[in-house]
Amino acid sequence: MTKSRVVLAIGADNAGADLKNRIKSRLSDDPRVEIRDFGVPDSRDPTAYPHVGLDVAEAVARGEAQRGLLVCGTGIGMAITANKVPGVRATVAHDSYSVERSVLSNNCQILALGARVIGPELADRLVNEWLDYEFDPTSASAEKVAVIAEYEQRGEQTAAKATTGSRRR
């Protein structure tokens, strides 16, 4: 469970603007979050999703936000974009179990949703659940997440050496 208030960077392209705005409105009084909106204001704005995804992911990578929420048509493009930013782990999730595991097993800081894939009630539920999860750095998953982070920081050869020369355990 998240114990302190987090800065939540949110963003959407025109396909996800309505759902993003709905979620933002629902979270406006949520004591768990302070919202920073990097997305388009409405569905008439033609800004392409990669620009929004990068803005949110960079805010997370710089530590200006602890979490990010991205919304586009499917969530896929936003997640791909966000994952290009070093230090960021983003996922698409449209069910409760995947939302849970994205944080507890993979320490994902960014959740991407597809406005054309799920309805607003499910999106609200998933975001609410997602905000309640917190990665445990002492968990069995922490070592796995560390391998990913080390690869990203030092490159494949150094990461392979750090894992005793074998990628499979």
Side-chain angles (χ1 to χ4, degrees):
M1 294 281 188
T2 302
K3 294 178 177 42
S4 61
R5 190 168 194 195
V6 299
V7 175
L8 175 64
I10 65 170
D13 65 359
N14 59 355
D18 292 340
L19 182 57
K20 182 241 352 173
N21 289 337
R22 174 194 164 99
I23 294 168
K24 179 181 174 182
S25 176
R26 292 207 174 243
L27 292 176
S28 65
D29 293 327
D30 191 318
R32 297 175 295 178
V33 296
E34 173 188 332
I35 298 171
R36 298 210 181 131
D37 192 345
F38 292 81
V40 301
D42 56 51
S43 60
R44 295 182 305 264
D45 189 312
T47 303
Y49 72 83
H51 301 291
V52 177
L54 289 171
D55 288 346
V56 167
E58 288 174 351
V60 170
R62 288 190 303 264
E64 296 167 9
Q66 291 76 45
R67 296 274 184 102
L69 177 65
L70 294 167
V71 187
C72 64
T74 63
I76 297 167
M78 287 287 205
I80 291 169
T81 301
N83 279 316
K84 298 300 181 186
V85 176
V88 169
R89 288 170 304 283
T91 191
V92 178
H94 293 128
D95 65 88
S96 291
Y97 185 72
S98 296
V99 165
E100 174 189 41
R101 299 323 311 165
S102 75
V103 176
L104 299 182
S105 294
N106 298 287
N107 196 16
C108 287
Q109 314 104 309
I110 296 180
L111 174 63
L113 300 174
R116 295 177 179 149
V117 179
I118 62 171
E121 291 83 8
L122 180 55
D124 288 339
R125 177 180 177 174
L126 295 176
V127 170
N128 186 53
E129 291 173 2
W130 176 70
L131 288 170
D132 276 340
Y133 295 117
E134 186 173 303
F135 183 71
D136 179 359
T138 65
S139 71
S141 296
E143 181 180 335
K144 298 166 192 158
V145 173
V147 170
I148 297 167
E150 185 163 332
Y151 174 84
E152 185 175 61
Q153 291 173 1
R154 297 187 186 166
E156 185 177 49
Q157 292 178 351
T158 304
K161 289 178 187 175
T163 58
T164 64
S166 173
R167 289 185 186 223
R168 296 184 184 215
R169 290 189 169 176

